[in-house]
Amino acid sequence: MLRTASMIMIAGLLAATATPSAAESRKKPAKPVPAPLIAQACSGCHGQLGQGLKGTPRLSGYEKDAFARVWSEFRDNQRPAATIMPRIARGYSDTEVAVLANYFSSIRR
Amino acid sequence: MSDISRRNFGKFAIAGLSTLAAPSILQAKSGARLVIIGGGFGGASAARFARTNFPHIDVTVIEPQLTFVTCPYGNLLLAGARTLSDITHPYGVLKRRGVIFIHDWADAIEPDKKLVKLRSGKTVAYDKLIVSPGIGIKWGALPGYDQAAAQIFPHAWVPERGEQVLLLRKQLEALPDGGVVGFAIPGNPFRCPPGPYERISLVANYLKKHKPRAKILALDAKDAFSKQGLFQDAWNELYPGLIEWIPGSKDGKVVSIDTKEKVFQTEFGTRHKIDVGNVIPPQSAAKIAIDAGLTNETGFVPVNPYTFEATKAKDIHVIGDANIAGPMPKSGFIANSTSKQAVASAIALLEGREAPKDPIYFNTCYSHVGDDYGISVVGVFRPSEKGFVETPNSGGVSPRGPLAEKKTQRKLEAQYADAWYASITKDAFG
């Protein structure tokens, strides 16, 4: 399976090596949100593109507002079934959470 | 790849990392050389991250082993829950991604000439060097414990090809029921702070099933350790009467090893007869870091907390267990997490830009203590002018409580530990 990051780079390679037709140049792909460095930590358990694995939830395609809401629920101990996320959530500012939410919501499921 | 496509390749990748992007990157010379010493969690993660995000940079890894055997999950091998192949990771994917591997020992670094000297006699030139060689064992620091002694009482703390952990497993299998398994545990700092206690737990797990009359004697130089309350709760609940842990203040510090008599001797002169012994010896940064003059009096390497550049040498960035990064632990996750800031910083500085601002270094150390029983410690860290700082009010350990109440949490954390292992090894080697 091609990962989004690879596809971004492959898109760049194709753009450089082939002249797109008029039709192709009209079909601009949705602009991917750049991967912020702080999202790298999430990949430690949720997979490199937040796809989730072995029971860790999928983050890719997570709706932006829901991501921020769930994060604040972790932070405020309002999710009784939580295990390690409350301890993580308290380490990130609202601005940083917004960056993560923006990034993961932009990755296609 | 043509020059044109190569440049575009780089441009798109940089656009994919906003925090790193700057227009000046496009003037970067093609083929700048990033050389990495060490192919463990730090070095492999650095190589993978560099190839993915800075494809205009040539990435070379100097690593003597053909595959990497992880320390994490090695304790599960002792419990019989994993095999050596489960914890062995080849470098094929990284090679296919364009990382050049030189399977040789880095014997010396010449910072003035920007050269690494290999054991084979060859030299490798770099523009930026990432040093991630892991720990070295301070042979002789614990009297009686040398390379020959490690064949009798394995350390199983430096993986190499897995020989040591397999030896310890074989010895446990041969242990007579009713025998004593001894642990000698060092003072701080050492690789993987919860590691000895996870190992005690998983050896207990094995003994309870296969040698129920055997005992564990854990002799510790310290009075406190990582996730202590959680480990001790688990020992009491899962392995009652099986584990005796003796802290330093109660004569737990092992001061000499006698392989002939099979004895661990502690500070106040007590001689403990051991049948199978695991000596986790005092450690320093690996030899190459010491020989290159990167270390200070602690035996580890002081670094800039924002860029991981060694304070003693320009253009050499040191990550992983070899550096001084307290209160961050010497863990695979920290090596992975910091490798990315180190690479991004090294390349930014090489290309005349500022290192990425406001990094966050992240750690979760899971420990398996029994079947379906996992515990964890989380740390969210940031750099400051004074060093590394844990973010206030964050992180910490799993909640304590009787297993009857916490069964679901313990089971989920064991499962998430497996997710972590799969994910982090993929991030580094996959």
Side-chain angles (χ1 to χ4, degrees), chain B residues 389-413:
Chain B
V389 179
E390 184 156 16
T391 307
N393 305 318
S394 71
V397 298
S398 311
R400 287 176 72 177
L403 184 55
E405 277 175 28
K406 299 290 180 194
K407 200 168 181 178
T408 306
Q409 168 127 13
R410 304 290 185 247
K411 190 174 179 178
L412 278 172
E413 290 208 26

Side-chain angles (χ1 to χ4, degrees), chain B residues 70-78 81-83 86-87 165 198 202 366 368 413-422:
Chain B
T70 62
C71 285
Y73 274 53
N75 290 333
L76 285 166
L77 186 149
L78 296 177
R82 292 291 187 284
T83 63
D86 293 332
I87 60 166
V165 73
E198 181 191 64
L202 293 178
Y366 288 101
H368 287 280
E413 290 208 26
Q415 188 183 324
Y416 295 157
D418 292 348
W420 169 81
Y421 187 80

Side-chain angles (χ1 to χ4, degrees), chain B residues 233-370:
Chain B
D233 288 350
W235 295 348
N236 289 333
E237 282 208 288
L238 302 179
Y239 316 115
L242 203 159
I243 300 164
E244 185 182 4
W245 174 74
I246 302 180
S249 61
K250 293 189 175 164
D251 197 22
K253 184 180 178 184
V254 174
V255 294
S256 73
I257 302 292
D258 182 341
T259 50
K260 210 169 178 183
E261 302 292 329
K262 299 199 89 173
V263 162
F264 290 179
Q265 185 168 327
T266 49
E267 207 169 12
F268 307 153
T270 315
R271 289 173 64 80
H272 298 275
K273 188 89 177 73
I274 301 297
D275 295 302
V276 168
N278 174 212
V279 177
I280 301 166
Q283 300 154 27
S284 64
K287 189 170 178 294
I288 181 70
I290 298 170
D291 291 350
L294 302 175
T295 52
N296 68 9
E297 69 285 354
T298 67
F300 293 94
V301 181
V303 292
N304 177 316
Y306 294 89
T307 64
F308 295 89
E309 192 163 35
T311 56
K312 294 188 168 192
K314 200 172 173 298
D315 296 319
I316 300 177
H317 299 247
V318 182
I319 54 172
D321 296 348
N323 71 16
I324 300 170
M328 301 199 297
K330 295 189 184 301
S331 75
F333 206 153
I334 281 294
N336 168 275
S337 171
T338 55
S339 74
K340 296 165 184 181
Q341 175 70 8
V343 166
S345 300
I347 294 173
L349 295 172
L350 182 65
E351 296 174 344
R353 291 176 287 115
E354 280 185 32
K357 288 192 188 310
D358 305 322
I360 300 173
Y361 310 130
F362 183 79
N363 184 66
T364 297
C365 284
Y366 288 101
S367 301
H368 287 280
V369 296

Side-chain angles (χ1 to χ4, degrees), chain B residues 25-43:
Chain B
I25 185 71
L26 299 176
Q27 282 102 51
K29 62 177 174 177
S30 179
R33 297 158 302 185
L34 182 72
V35 175
I36 300 166
I37 296 178
F41 279 103

Side-chain angles (χ1 to χ4, degrees), chain B residues 52-383:
Chain B
T52 306
N53 295 289
F54 304 95
H56 61 295
I57 300 283
D58 291 338
V59 181
T60 301
V61 173
I62 302 168
E63 164 58 52
Q65 307 296 342
L66 298 176
T67 57
F68 183 69
V69 178
T70 62
C71 285
Y73 274 53
N75 290 333
L76 285 166
L77 186 149
L78 296 177
R82 292 291 187 284
T83 63
L84 186 61
S85 70
D86 293 332
I87 60 166
T88 300
H89 300 270
Y91 294 117
V93 178
L94 288 180
K95 289 175 184 173
R96 285 196 292 281
R97 285 176 181 272
V99 177
I100 298 156
F101 270 77
I102 299 173
H103 291 296
D104 199 345
W105 290 89
D107 267 354
I109 302 167
E110 294 184 9
D112 298 343
K113 295 180 189 164
K114 293 193 170 186
L115 288 176
V116 180
K117 285 191 156 178
L118 305 179
R119 192 161 294 178
S120 63
K122 292 178 184 160
T123 56
V124 180
Y126 63 85
D127 295 301
K128 277 285 187 181
L129 183 65
I130 303 278
V131 176
S132 185
I135 56 159
I137 290 173
K138 288 164 79 172
W139 297 112
L142 178 59
Y145 198 69
D146 56 16
Q147 281 98 327
Q151 297 307 311
I152 296 165
F153 293 135
H155 53 77
W157 217 246
V158 179
E160 296 187 341
R161 289 184 297 275
E163 305 93 329
Q164 281 275 304
V165 73
L166 288 175
L167 175 61
L168 187 53
R169 167 71 190 174
K170 212 167 125 187
Q171 291 179 347
L172 289 169
E173 285 171 342
L175 177 80
D177 196 5
V180 175
V181 180
F183 287 86
I185 305 167
N188 294 320
F190 62 98
R191 162 180 280 174
C192 190
Y197 313 97
E198 181 191 64
R199 182 171 286 176
I200 290 166
S201 308
L202 293 178
V203 169
N205 183 270
Y206 169 75
L207 296 177
K208 187 180 174 185
K209 289 174 187 167
H210 301 282
K211 327 258 171 171
R213 293 190 300 117
K215 295 274 183 267
I216 289 175
L217 178 64
L219 300 164
D220 204 329
K222 303 180 296 303
D223 283 342
F225 59 85
S226 174
K227 295 181 256 186
Q228 184 169 353
L230 288 159
F231 274 116
Q232 290 180 323
D233 288 350
W235 295 348
N236 289 333
E237 282 208 288
L238 302 179
Y239 316 115
L242 203 159
I243 300 164
E244 185 182 4
W245 174 74
I246 302 180
S249 61
K250 293 189 175 164
D251 197 22
K253 184 180 178 184
V254 174
V255 294
S256 73
I257 302 292
D258 182 341
T259 50
K260 210 169 178 183
E261 302 292 329
K262 299 199 89 173
V263 162
F264 290 179
Q265 185 168 327
T266 49
E267 207 169 12
F268 307 153
T270 315
R271 289 173 64 80
H272 298 275
K273 188 89 177 73
I274 301 297
D275 295 302
V276 168
N278 174 212
V279 177
I280 301 166
Q283 300 154 27
S284 64
K287 189 170 178 294
I288 181 70
I290 298 170
D291 291 350
L294 302 175
T295 52
N296 68 9
E297 69 285 354
T298 67
F300 293 94
V301 181
V303 292
N304 177 316
Y306 294 89
T307 64
F308 295 89
E309 192 163 35
T311 56
K312 294 188 168 192
K314 200 172 173 298
D315 296 319
I316 300 177
H317 299 247
V318 182
I319 54 172
D321 296 348
N323 71 16
I324 300 170
M328 301 199 297
K330 295 189 184 301
S331 75
F333 206 153
I334 281 294
N336 168 275
S337 171
T338 55
S339 74
K340 296 165 184 181
Q341 175 70 8
V343 166
S345 300
I347 294 173
L349 295 172
L350 182 65
E351 296 174 344
R353 291 176 287 115
E354 280 185 32
K357 288 192 188 310
D358 305 322
I360 300 173
Y361 310 130
F362 183 79
N363 184 66
T364 297
C365 284
Y366 288 101
S367 301
H368 287 280
V369 296
D371 301 330
D372 294 326
Y373 195 130
I375 57 176
S376 61
V377 58
V378 169
V380 183
F381 304 92
R382 292 156 205 266

